[in-house]
Every structure is written in C-alpha cells, then in structure tokens.
Amino acid sequence: MTEPLLQLTAMSISTNEQVLMHDVMLTVHAGESVALLGTSGLGKSTLLKAICGLLPKQRFTVAGQMKFLGHDLRHLKPQQWRALRGPGLALMGQNISENFDERQKLLSHFIEAVRAHEPGRSKADITHAALDLLYRLELAYPERILHQYSYEFSLGMSQRVALALTLILKPKLILADEFTSALDLNTRLAVLTELKALQQELGFALLFVTHHPDEAHFMAQRSYILHDGTITPQQTTPPEASPCPR
C-alpha cells in the first residue's frame, strides 16, 4: 500500500493540567473514508484541531508525529499552513455559522475562498464552479442561492452550502467533525448520502468524527474508537453490513 495521506504516530496532546491523548496511531489513505468514534467530551474535536494546527500553543502541547503528504505538520510555518488549509486539509465543524459572514452574499464567500489560493481566477469561472457544486448537492435554484445571505438559508441548506464552500477548493482530505449533528434524521441521511456520493466522484479522503456507530458504518471503510485518551482500530465493516444512519 502507498504511503498514507495522513499519518499520526505516537502522538499526544496535553495541557498544563493533564494529558488529553497519548500514543495516538492513525492513518488515512488517499480517497479513503475513515471514521473516528467516541462519546462526547473525549477530545475528538481537539484531535482534529491539532491536525489542522488550530490548537492555541499557549494552552496545548502536541508531541509525536503528524505527517500529511509526507510533511510533518508540527513544523509548518504560518505561510505553509495558509497554503495547506483548504486545498490540502479542510475542517468542517459542528457550528455551521462559522462558515459565513452574514454581511456578504454567498457568491462573495466562494470568490474570497478561491482567490485566497488562486488570486487570478475569474469571477465567471468561480461562479460556474460554485453552481456546479450546488447542483450536485441537489439544492433548488442555485443561481438564486448565490445571491442570498446565510441567514436566509434553512439548516439543511446551510450544511450543503458549507460543504460546497469546502469542496470548491478541491481538498485532498476533509476532517468532518460531527458536522451533521444539528440536523434532523431525514436531512442528516440526505446530506451524508450526498457527501458519500461526492467523495466517490471527486476522490477526496474523509476523516469522519461521530458518536453514532451507524453513521460510521454507513460512511467509512475503516473505523477507530477513542477511549481513555487513546485510539484503537476497529474491525472493518463490509458494505453489505453497513446500515443507513437512523
């Protein structure tokens, strides 16, 4: 097997008061979907933020090795992080509102996100790419949505739009932190189904954090479980045994 896209080796996260995680070993390969299971409050979100370099260094100490595309994330400079976040690593969190500025229409969000990495890309090209993603996510009237503000979206629309904003940068790995937890059952199933289909089509890798085993079975080829501050690999679930989330 080729070198993992993401590889955590003997990783630990601690504060001045306690060790939050220790001896973490985890891999994600290109195009693969991996679930990270565990009940609330165990530090799954903290782990994803550590991978993305978003933990405040004044409060947290990260040790061990975190390699992405062969580079150790612990030693990246700020400008390297700016280039990596988005096209390389993309974090989708539980708080959907963090993705939006209510003073700007949606199209401005797409333009700002893309031009942060591709300054010369035209508005027409970005608009076309954004519309394509909104259509793929089965949103009605995408042309109208591009000229709306985020407070005009329903919760399900906001989640799909946030996913489109992530995908327009063509990330190699999406870290999804229980990003459907606020949705009702039917909307959650629809969004997960769309995400799974888009992953198969576009080929990005997915590290999917959840505390629902049925979601993990539905989304992932492999699973890890977080317990007592460390991570244990779980047996792979065959596709025919993978129920839809309920």
Side-chain angles (χ1 to χ4, degrees):
M1 186 175 288
T2 58
E3 183 179 5
L5 184 67
L6 174 71
Q7 184 169 27
L8 310 183
T9 306
M11 179 189 174
S12 67
I13 304 175
S14 59
T15 66
N16 292 333
E17 294 80 24
Q18 62 179 325
V19 176
L20 304 178
M21 294 185 188
H22 59 90
D23 298 323
V24 171
M25 312 284 283
L26 180 147
T27 59
V28 182
H29 286 83
E32 186 181 28
S33 182
V34 175
L36 177 58
L37 281 154
T39 55
S40 298
L42 292 180
K44 301 186 299 297
S45 298
T46 301
L47 176 61
L48 294 197
K49 289 179 180 178
I51 294 170
C52 290
L54 296 175
L55 288 182
K57 292 184 178 180
Q58 310 93 295
R59 289 189 52 209
F60 295 91
T61 300
V62 179
Q65 192 175 74
M66 297 190 298
K67 292 182 72 176
F68 180 73
L69 292 173
H71 302 288
D72 194 338
L73 297 176
R74 292 183 55 237
H75 302 298
L76 293 187
K77 297 177 181 179
Q79 63 268 29
Q80 292 174 306
W81 272 118
R82 285 192 292 270
L84 182 64
R85 294 189 189 112
L89 290 167
L91 177 62
M92 294 190 63
Q94 300 177 46
N95 188 354
I96 303 171
S97 63
E98 291 179 350
N99 295 281
F100 305 111
D101 181 345
E102 291 191 348
R103 299 166 297 179
Q104 294 185 346
K105 294 180 180 180
L106 178 59
L107 180 56
S108 296
H109 289 76
F110 280 107
I111 292 172
E112 182 178 346
V114 172
R115 287 184 175 167
H117 299 277
E118 302 176 59
R121 194 163 171 188
S122 71
K123 178 179 178 181
D125 187 40
I126 297 170
T127 301
H128 177 77
L131 285 172
D132 179 62
L133 286 169
L134 296 177
Y135 272 113
R136 291 188 192 193
L137 288 163
E138 301 185 0
L139 283 160
Y141 310 111
E143 294 87 352
R144 185 175 68 189
I145 291 173
L146 282 181
H147 299 284
Q148 290 181 314
Y149 296 93
S150 60
Y151 57 77
E152 300 179 84
F153 302 153
S154 67
L155 194 57
M157 284 178 63
S158 294
Q159 197 61 271
R160 288 174 170 89
V161 167
L163 180 55
L165 279 167
T166 298
L167 292 176
I168 201 166
L169 295 176
K170 299 179 181 179
K172 292 179 172 60
L173 172 61
I174 293 178
L175 309 174
D177 184 12
E178 297 192 69
F179 82 112
T180 60
S181 59
L183 304 178
D184 63 77
L185 177 61
N186 290 334
T187 306
R188 179 162 56 99
L189 176 57
V191 171
L192 290 175
T193 301
E194 290 159 6
L195 175 60
K196 189 172 184 178
L198 282 167
Q199 184 192 15
Q200 293 171 350
E201 180 182 349
L202 301 177
F204 56 86
L206 180 68
L207 179 56
F208 184 83
V209 169
T210 181
H211 59 269
H212 296 294
D214 53 344
E215 286 189 356
H217 294 161
F218 181 64
M219 293 297 297
Q221 288 98 41
R222 293 190 298 116
S223 296
Y224 293 86
I225 188 164
L226 176 60
H227 182 68
D228 287 339
T230 194
I231 287 177
T232 306
Q234 299 298 288
Q235 184 175 359
T236 301
T237 302
E240 61 271 14
S242 301
C244 292
R246 60 187 184 274

PDB file of all heavy atoms in Angstrom, residues 42-74:
ATOM      1  N   LEU A  42     -14.637  13.470  24.755  1.00  0.00           N
ATOM      2  CA  LEU A  42     -13.405  12.687  24.860  1.00  0.00           C
ATOM      3  C   LEU A  42     -12.220  13.337  24.140  1.00  0.00           C
ATOM      4  O   LEU A  42     -11.087  12.892  24.292  1.00  0.00           O
ATOM      5  CB  LEU A  42     -13.625  11.275  24.302  1.00  0.00           C
ATOM      6  CG  LEU A  42     -14.565  10.375  25.105  1.00  0.00           C
ATOM      7  CD1 LEU A  42     -14.678   9.009  24.435  1.00  0.00           C
ATOM      8  CD2 LEU A  42     -14.077  10.208  26.542  1.00  0.00           C
ATOM      9  N   GLY A  43     -12.504  14.347  23.309  1.00  0.00           N
ATOM     10  CA  GLY A  43     -11.402  15.052  22.665  1.00  0.00           C
ATOM     11  C   GLY A  43     -11.292  14.842  21.170  1.00  0.00           C
ATOM     12  O   GLY A  43     -10.252  15.161  20.578  1.00  0.00           O
ATOM     13  N   LYS A  44     -12.342  14.332  20.534  1.00  0.00           N
ATOM     14  CA  LYS A  44     -12.280  14.113  19.082  1.00  0.00           C
ATOM     15  C   LYS A  44     -12.085  15.435  18.342  1.00  0.00           C
ATOM     16  O   LYS A  44     -11.277  15.525  17.415  1.00  0.00           O
ATOM     17  CB  LYS A  44     -13.570  13.417  18.605  1.00  0.00           C
ATOM     18  CG  LYS A  44     -13.836  12.062  19.259  1.00  0.00           C
ATOM     19  CD  LYS A  44     -15.029  11.350  18.660  1.00  0.00           C
ATOM     20  CE  LYS A  44     -16.344  12.117  18.812  1.00  0.00           C
ATOM     21  NZ  LYS A  44     -16.733  12.313  20.220  1.00  0.00           N
ATOM     22  N   SER A  45     -12.822  16.459  18.762  1.00  0.00           N
ATOM     23  CA  SER A  45     -12.678  17.780  18.126  1.00  0.00           C
ATOM     24  C   SER A  45     -11.280  18.351  18.362  1.00  0.00           C
ATOM     25  O   SER A  45     -10.692  18.976  17.466  1.00  0.00           O
ATOM     26  CB  SER A  45     -13.737  18.745  18.665  1.00  0.00           C
ATOM     27  OG  SER A  45     -15.040  18.290  18.370  1.00  0.00           O
ATOM     28  N   THR A  46     -10.746  18.141  19.540  1.00  0.00           N
ATOM     29  CA  THR A  46      -9.399  18.605  19.863  1.00  0.00           C
ATOM     30  C   THR A  46      -8.377  17.956  18.946  1.00  0.00           C
ATOM     31  O   THR A  46      -7.437  18.617  18.457  1.00  0.00           O
ATOM     32  CB  THR A  46      -9.056  18.294  21.331  1.00  0.00           C
ATOM     33  OG1 THR A  46     -10.018  18.938  22.184  1.00  0.00           O
ATOM     34  CG2 THR A  46      -7.665  18.776  21.689  1.00  0.00           C
ATOM     35  N   LEU A  47      -8.559  16.674  18.666  1.00  0.00           N
ATOM     36  CA  LEU A  47      -7.641  15.969  17.779  1.00  0.00           C
ATOM     37  C   LEU A  47      -7.674  16.567  16.376  1.00  0.00           C
ATOM     38  O   LEU A  47      -6.617  16.802  15.766  1.00  0.00           O
ATOM     39  CB  LEU A  47      -7.996  14.488  17.735  1.00  0.00           C
ATOM     40  CG  LEU A  47      -7.167  13.631  16.776  1.00  0.00           C
ATOM     41  CD1 LEU A  47      -5.693  13.663  17.169  1.00  0.00           C
ATOM     42  CD2 LEU A  47      -7.687  12.193  16.750  1.00  0.00           C
ATOM     43  N   LEU A  48      -8.864  16.832  15.842  1.00  0.00           N
ATOM     44  CA  LEU A  48      -8.963  17.409  14.504  1.00  0.00           C
ATOM     45  C   LEU A  48      -8.331  18.793  14.452  1.00  0.00           C
ATOM     46  O   LEU A  48      -7.651  19.142  13.479  1.00  0.00           O
ATOM     47  CB  LEU A  48     -10.427  17.488  14.055  1.00  0.00           C
ATOM     48  CG  LEU A  48     -11.173  16.167  13.844  1.00  0.00           C
ATOM     49  CD1 LEU A  48     -12.431  16.404  13.020  1.00  0.00           C
ATOM     50  CD2 LEU A  48     -10.305  15.115  13.181  1.00  0.00           C
ATOM     51  N   LYS A  49      -8.546  19.592  15.478  1.00  0.00           N
ATOM     52  CA  LYS A  49      -7.930  20.917  15.516  1.00  0.00           C
ATOM     53  C   LYS A  49      -6.409  20.816  15.592  1.00  0.00           C
ATOM     54  O   LYS A  49      -5.693  21.637  14.998  1.00  0.00           O
ATOM     55  CB  LYS A  49      -8.472  21.716  16.703  1.00  0.00           C
ATOM     56  CG  LYS A  49      -9.922  22.158  16.525  1.00  0.00           C
ATOM     57  CD  LYS A  49     -10.421  22.926  17.736  1.00  0.00           C
ATOM     58  CE  LYS A  49     -11.868  23.356  17.559  1.00  0.00           C
ATOM     59  NZ  LYS A  49     -12.395  24.073  18.752  1.00  0.00           N
ATOM     60  N   ALA A  50      -5.911  19.801  16.299  1.00  0.00           N
ATOM     61  CA  ALA A  50      -4.457  19.606  16.360  1.00  0.00           C
ATOM     62  C   ALA A  50      -3.910  19.262  14.978  1.00  0.00           C
ATOM     63  O   ALA A  50      -2.860  19.781  14.570  1.00  0.00           O
ATOM     64  CB  ALA A  50      -4.127  18.493  17.353  1.00  0.00           C
ATOM     65  N   ILE A  51      -4.606  18.417  14.246  1.00  0.00           N
ATOM     66  CA  ILE A  51      -4.168  18.044  12.904  1.00  0.00           C
ATOM     67  C   ILE A  51      -4.107  19.272  12.009  1.00  0.00           C
ATOM     68  O   ILE A  51      -3.205  19.412  11.169  1.00  0.00           O
ATOM     69  CB  ILE A  51      -5.106  16.978  12.315  1.00  0.00           C
ATOM     70  CG1 ILE A  51      -5.002  15.669  13.115  1.00  0.00           C
ATOM     71  CG2 ILE A  51      -4.788  16.722  10.841  1.00  0.00           C
ATOM     72  CD1 ILE A  51      -6.065  14.638  12.755  1.00  0.00           C
ATOM     73  N   CYS A  52      -5.071  20.185  12.180  1.00  0.00           N
ATOM     74  CA  CYS A  52      -5.133  21.397  11.347  1.00  0.00           C
ATOM     75  C   CYS A  52      -4.299  22.549  11.892  1.00  0.00           C
ATOM     76  O   CYS A  52      -4.329  23.650  11.339  1.00  0.00           O
ATOM     77  CB  CYS A  52      -6.586  21.860  11.214  1.00  0.00           C
ATOM     78  SG  CYS A  52      -7.597  20.762  10.214  1.00  0.00           S
ATOM     79  N   GLY A  53      -3.577  22.324  12.986  1.00  0.00           N
ATOM     80  CA  GLY A  53      -2.741  23.371  13.555  1.00  0.00           C
ATOM     81  C   GLY A  53      -3.517  24.505  14.183  1.00  0.00           C
ATOM     82  O   GLY A  53      -3.055  25.649  14.194  1.00  0.00           O
ATOM     83  N   LEU A  54      -4.697  24.201  14.713  1.00  0.00           N
ATOM     84  CA  LEU A  54      -5.584  25.241  15.237  1.00  0.00           C
ATOM     85  C   LEU A  54      -5.678  25.259  16.762  1.00  0.00           C
ATOM     86  O   LEU A  54      -6.466  26.027  17.308  1.00  0.00           O
ATOM     87  CB  LEU A  54      -6.991  25.067  14.639  1.00  0.00           C
ATOM     88  CG  LEU A  54      -7.092  25.250  13.122  1.00  0.00           C
ATOM     89  CD1 LEU A  54      -8.502  24.927  12.640  1.00  0.00           C
ATOM     90  CD2 LEU A  54      -6.709  26.672  12.727  1.00  0.00           C
ATOM     91  N   LEU A  55      -4.881  24.444  17.438  1.00  0.00           N
ATOM     92  CA  LEU A  55      -4.887  24.485  18.902  1.00  0.00           C
ATOM     93  C   LEU A  55      -3.980  25.604  19.397  1.00  0.00           C
ATOM     94  O   LEU A  55      -2.847  25.731  18.939  1.00  0.00           O
ATOM     95  CB  LEU A  55      -4.407  23.152  19.486  1.00  0.00           C
ATOM     96  CG  LEU A  55      -5.338  21.955  19.372  1.00  0.00           C
ATOM     97  CD1 LEU A  55      -4.713  20.741  20.054  1.00  0.00           C
ATOM     98  CD2 LEU A  55      -6.713  22.240  19.983  1.00  0.00           C
ATOM     99  N   PRO A  56      -4.454  26.442  20.338  1.00  0.00           N
ATOM    100  CA  PRO A  56      -3.603  27.510  20.878  1.00  0.00           C
ATOM    101  C   PRO A  56      -2.348  26.940  21.554  1.00  0.00           C
ATOM    102  O   PRO A  56      -2.443  26.103  22.449  1.00  0.00           O
ATOM    103  CB  PRO A  56      -4.514  28.195  21.902  1.00  0.00           C
ATOM    104  CG  PRO A  56      -5.905  27.796  21.536  1.00  0.00           C
ATOM    105  CD  PRO A  56      -5.812  26.437  20.931  1.00  0.00           C
ATOM    106  N   LYS A  57      -1.184  27.378  21.104  1.00  0.00           N
ATOM    107  CA  LYS A  57       0.055  26.828  21.638  1.00  0.00           C
ATOM    108  C   LYS A  57       0.290  27.219  23.095  1.00  0.00           C
ATOM    109  O   LYS A  57       1.057  26.562  23.807  1.00  0.00           O
ATOM    110  CB  LYS A  57       1.231  27.294  20.778  1.00  0.00           C
ATOM    111  CG  LYS A  57       1.214  26.700  19.375  1.00  0.00           C
ATOM    112  CD  LYS A  57       2.438  27.097  18.579  1.00  0.00           C
ATOM    113  CE  LYS A  57       2.420  26.454  17.199  1.00  0.00           C
ATOM    114  NZ  LYS A  57       3.607  26.820  16.385  1.00  0.00           N
ATOM    115  N   GLN A  58      -0.385  28.293  23.542  1.00  0.00           N
ATOM    116  CA  GLN A  58      -0.239  28.693  24.950  1.00  0.00           C
ATOM    117  C   GLN A  58      -0.904  27.687  25.886  1.00  0.00           C
ATOM    118  O   GLN A  58      -0.512  27.566  27.049  1.00  0.00           O
ATOM    119  CB  GLN A  58      -0.869  30.063  25.182  1.00  0.00           C
ATOM    120  CG  GLN A  58      -0.450  31.135  24.192  1.00  0.00           C
ATOM    121  CD  GLN A  58      -1.409  31.233  23.027  1.00  0.00           C
ATOM    122  OE1 GLN A  58      -1.542  30.311  22.237  1.00  0.00           O
ATOM    123  NE2 GLN A  58      -2.094  32.375  22.925  1.00  0.00           N
ATOM    124  N   ARG A  59      -1.906  26.965  25.389  1.00  0.00           N
ATOM    125  CA  ARG A  59      -2.670  26.042  26.243  1.00  0.00           C
ATOM    126  C   ARG A  59      -2.353  24.581  25.989  1.00  0.00           C
ATOM    127  O   ARG A  59      -2.450  23.752  26.895  1.00  0.00           O
ATOM    128  CB  ARG A  59      -4.174  26.249  26.025  1.00  0.00           C
ATOM    129  CG  ARG A  59      -4.740  27.542  26.579  1.00  0.00           C
ATOM    130  CD  ARG A  59      -6.253  27.507  26.482  1.00  0.00           C
ATOM    131  NE  ARG A  59      -6.808  26.306  27.081  1.00  0.00           N
ATOM    132  CZ  ARG A  59      -7.942  25.725  26.697  1.00  0.00           C
ATOM    133  NH1 ARG A  59      -8.641  26.214  25.699  1.00  0.00           N
ATOM    134  NH2 ARG A  59      -8.379  24.646  27.314  1.00  0.00           N
ATOM    135  N   PHE A  60      -1.975  24.240  24.749  1.00  0.00           N
ATOM    136  CA  PHE A  60      -1.832  22.834  24.382  1.00  0.00           C
ATOM    137  C   PHE A  60      -0.411  22.527  23.911  1.00  0.00           C
ATOM    138  O   PHE A  60       0.225  23.338  23.251  1.00  0.00           O
ATOM    139  CB  PHE A  60      -2.808  22.462  23.254  1.00  0.00           C
ATOM    140  CG  PHE A  60      -4.260  22.555  23.645  1.00  0.00           C
ATOM    141  CD1 PHE A  60      -4.968  23.738  23.445  1.00  0.00           C
ATOM    142  CD2 PHE A  60      -4.920  21.467  24.196  1.00  0.00           C
ATOM    143  CE1 PHE A  60      -6.300  23.833  23.791  1.00  0.00           C
ATOM    144  CE2 PHE A  60      -6.260  21.558  24.541  1.00  0.00           C
ATOM    145  CZ  PHE A  60      -6.958  22.742  24.343  1.00  0.00           C
ATOM    146  N   THR A  61       0.032  21.335  24.248  1.00  0.00           N
ATOM    147  CA  THR A  61       1.298  20.817  23.759  1.00  0.00           C
ATOM    148  C   THR A  61       1.019  19.562  22.939  1.00  0.00           C
ATOM    149  O   THR A  61       0.375  18.633  23.432  1.00  0.00           O
ATOM    150  CB  THR A  61       2.255  20.466  24.915  1.00  0.00           C
ATOM    151  OG1 THR A  61       2.515  21.642  25.679  1.00  0.00           O
ATOM    152  CG2 THR A  61       3.566  19.906  24.385  1.00  0.00           C
ATOM    153  N   VAL A  62       1.486  19.570  21.701  1.00  0.00           N
ATOM    154  CA  VAL A  62       1.308  18.418  20.817  1.00  0.00           C
ATOM    155  C   VAL A  62       2.666  17.788  20.571  1.00  0.00           C
ATOM    156  O   VAL A  62       3.608  18.469  20.152  1.00  0.00           O
ATOM    157  CB  VAL A  62       0.666  18.837  19.471  1.00  0.00           C
ATOM    158  CG1 VAL A  62       0.518  17.630  18.551  1.00  0.00           C
ATOM    159  CG2 VAL A  62      -0.694  19.490  19.712  1.00  0.00           C
ATOM    160  N   ALA A  63       2.782  16.485  20.849  1.00  0.00           N
ATOM    161  CA  ALA A  63       4.042  15.764  20.658  1.00  0.00           C
ATOM    162  C   ALA A  63       3.806  14.581  19.724  1.00  0.00           C
ATOM    163  O   ALA A  63       2.680  14.255  19.375  1.00  0.00           O
ATOM    164  CB  ALA A  63       4.583  15.310  22.006  1.00  0.00           C
ATOM    165  N   GLY A  64       4.903  13.936  19.328  1.00  0.00           N
ATOM    166  CA  GLY A  64       4.800  12.832  18.386  1.00  0.00           C
ATOM    167  C   GLY A  64       4.878  13.338  16.962  1.00  0.00           C
ATOM    168  O   GLY A  64       5.369  14.433  16.696  1.00  0.00           O
ATOM    169  N   GLN A  65       4.363  12.551  16.032  1.00  0.00           N
ATOM    170  CA  GLN A  65       4.480  12.878  14.613  1.00  0.00           C
ATOM    171  C   GLN A  65       3.108  12.956  13.959  1.00  0.00           C
ATOM    172  O   GLN A  65       2.267  12.088  14.139  1.00  0.00           O
ATOM    173  CB  GLN A  65       5.320  11.812  13.908  1.00  0.00           C
ATOM    174  CG  GLN A  65       5.747  12.186  12.499  1.00  0.00           C
ATOM    175  CD  GLN A  65       6.677  11.153  11.908  1.00  0.00           C
ATOM    176  OE1 GLN A  65       6.247  10.069  11.535  1.00  0.00           O
ATOM    177  NE2 GLN A  65       7.966  11.475  11.829  1.00  0.00           N
ATOM    178  N   MET A  66       2.893  14.037  13.181  1.00  0.00           N
ATOM    179  CA  MET A  66       1.690  14.202  12.368  1.00  0.00           C
ATOM    180  C   MET A  66       2.151  14.497  10.953  1.00  0.00           C
ATOM    181  O   MET A  66       2.582  15.608  10.657  1.00  0.00           O
ATOM    182  CB  MET A  66       0.819  15.350  12.883  1.00  0.00           C
ATOM    183  CG  MET A  66       0.258  15.177  14.263  1.00  0.00           C
ATOM    184  SD  MET A  66      -0.971  16.463  14.639  1.00  0.00           S
ATOM    185  CE  MET A  66       0.040  17.949  14.535  1.00  0.00           C
ATOM    186  N   LYS A  67       2.071  13.511  10.074  1.00  0.00           N
ATOM    187  CA  LYS A  67       2.544  13.680   8.705  1.00  0.00           C
ATOM    188  C   LYS A  67       1.364  13.749   7.740  1.00  0.00           C
ATOM    189  O   LYS A  67       0.439  12.943   7.813  1.00  0.00           O
ATOM    190  CB  LYS A  67       3.462  12.521   8.317  1.00  0.00           C
ATOM    191  CG  LYS A  67       4.790  12.506   9.065  1.00  0.00           C
ATOM    192  CD  LYS A  67       5.679  11.370   8.602  1.00  0.00           C
ATOM    193  CE  LYS A  67       6.225  11.624   7.215  1.00  0.00           C
ATOM    194  NZ  LYS A  67       7.176  10.546   6.787  1.00  0.00           N
ATOM    195  N   PHE A  68       1.410  14.748   6.854  1.00  0.00           N
ATOM    196  CA  PHE A  68       0.410  14.894   5.799  1.00  0.00           C
ATOM    197  C   PHE A  68       1.154  15.135   4.490  1.00  0.00           C
ATOM    198  O   PHE A  68       1.981  16.041   4.399  1.00  0.00           O
ATOM    199  CB  PHE A  68      -0.529  16.066   6.101  1.00  0.00           C
ATOM    200  CG  PHE A  68      -1.592  16.267   5.051  1.00  0.00           C
ATOM    201  CD1 PHE A  68      -2.661  15.384   4.965  1.00  0.00           C
ATOM    202  CD2 PHE A  68      -1.517  17.311   4.155  1.00  0.00           C
ATOM    203  CE1 PHE A  68      -3.644  15.542   4.005  1.00  0.00           C
ATOM    204  CE2 PHE A  68      -2.498  17.490   3.180  1.00  0.00           C
ATOM    205  CZ  PHE A  68      -3.562  16.606   3.104  1.00  0.00           C
ATOM    206  N   LEU A  69       0.889  14.274   3.513  1.00  0.00           N
ATOM    207  CA  LEU A  69       1.612  14.330   2.237  1.00  0.00           C
ATOM    208  C   LEU A  69       3.125  14.277   2.458  1.00  0.00           C
ATOM    209  O   LEU A  69       3.908  14.908   1.742  1.00  0.00           O
ATOM    210  CB  LEU A  69       1.249  15.601   1.457  1.00  0.00           C
ATOM    211  CG  LEU A  69      -0.191  15.677   0.936  1.00  0.00           C
ATOM    212  CD1 LEU A  69      -0.465  17.056   0.335  1.00  0.00           C
ATOM    213  CD2 LEU A  69      -0.445  14.598  -0.117  1.00  0.00           C
ATOM    214  N   GLY A  70       3.524  13.535   3.487  1.00  0.00           N
ATOM    215  CA  GLY A  70       4.943  13.350   3.770  1.00  0.00           C
ATOM    216  C   GLY A  70       5.588  14.448   4.582  1.00  0.00           C
ATOM    217  O   GLY A  70       6.766  14.334   4.935  1.00  0.00           O
ATOM    218  N   HIS A  71       4.868  15.518   4.884  1.00  0.00           N
ATOM    219  CA  HIS A  71       5.422  16.635   5.655  1.00  0.00           C
ATOM    220  C   HIS A  71       4.921  16.587   7.100  1.00  0.00           C
ATOM    221  O   HIS A  71       3.733  16.325   7.344  1.00  0.00           O
ATOM    222  CB  HIS A  71       5.030  17.968   5.024  1.00  0.00           C
ATOM    223  CG  HIS A  71       5.480  18.115   3.595  1.00  0.00           C
ATOM    224  ND1 HIS A  71       6.797  18.313   3.250  1.00  0.00           N
ATOM    225  CD2 HIS A  71       4.779  18.082   2.427  1.00  0.00           C
ATOM    226  CE1 HIS A  71       6.904  18.396   1.938  1.00  0.00           C
ATOM    227  NE2 HIS A  71       5.695  18.256   1.408  1.00  0.00           N
ATOM    228  N   ASP A  72       5.810  16.851   8.052  1.00  0.00           N
ATOM    229  CA  ASP A  72       5.424  16.854   9.462  1.00  0.00           C
ATOM    230  C   ASP A  72       4.684  18.147   9.781  1.00  0.00           C
ATOM    231  O   ASP A  72       5.251  19.242   9.719  1.00  0.00           O
ATOM    232  CB  ASP A  72       6.655  16.714  10.361  1.00  0.00           C
ATOM    233  CG  ASP A  72       6.278  16.366  11.799  1.00  0.00           C
ATOM    234  OD1 ASP A  72       5.126  16.637  12.192  1.00  0.00           O
ATOM    235  OD2 ASP A  72       7.125  15.817  12.517  1.00  0.00           O
ATOM    236  N   LEU A  73       3.398  18.027  10.120  1.00  0.00           N
ATOM    237  CA  LEU A  73       2.562  19.202  10.368  1.00  0.00           C
ATOM    238  C   LEU A  73       3.020  20.001  11.570  1.00  0.00           C
ATOM    239  O   LEU A  73       2.717  21.202  11.657  1.00  0.00           O
ATOM    240  CB  LEU A  73       1.107  18.749  10.572  1.00  0.00           C
ATOM    241  CG  LEU A  73       0.436  18.064   9.375  1.00  0.00           C
ATOM    242  CD1 LEU A  73      -0.963  17.581   9.765  1.00  0.00           C
ATOM    243  CD2 LEU A  73       0.352  19.011   8.184  1.00  0.00           C
ATOM    244  N   ARG A  74       3.730  19.373  12.477  1.00  0.00           N
ATOM    245  CA  ARG A  74       4.135  20.077  13.698  1.00  0.00           C
ATOM    246  C   ARG A  74       5.181  21.153  13.423  1.00  0.00           C
ATOM    247  O   ARG A  74       5.421  22.012  14.280  1.00  0.00           O
ATOM    248  CB  ARG A  74       4.680  19.080  14.728  1.00  0.00           C
ATOM    249  CG  ARG A  74       3.620  18.140  15.284  1.00  0.00           C
ATOM    250  CD  ARG A  74       4.199  17.221  16.350  1.00  0.00           C
ATOM    251  NE  ARG A  74       4.847  17.985  17.395  1.00  0.00           N
ATOM    252  CZ  ARG A  74       6.120  17.821  17.740  1.00  0.00           C
ATOM    253  NH1 ARG A  74       6.897  16.964  17.116  1.00  0.00           N
ATOM    254  NH2 ARG A  74       6.630  18.535  18.712  1.00  0.00           N
TER     255      ARG A  74
END
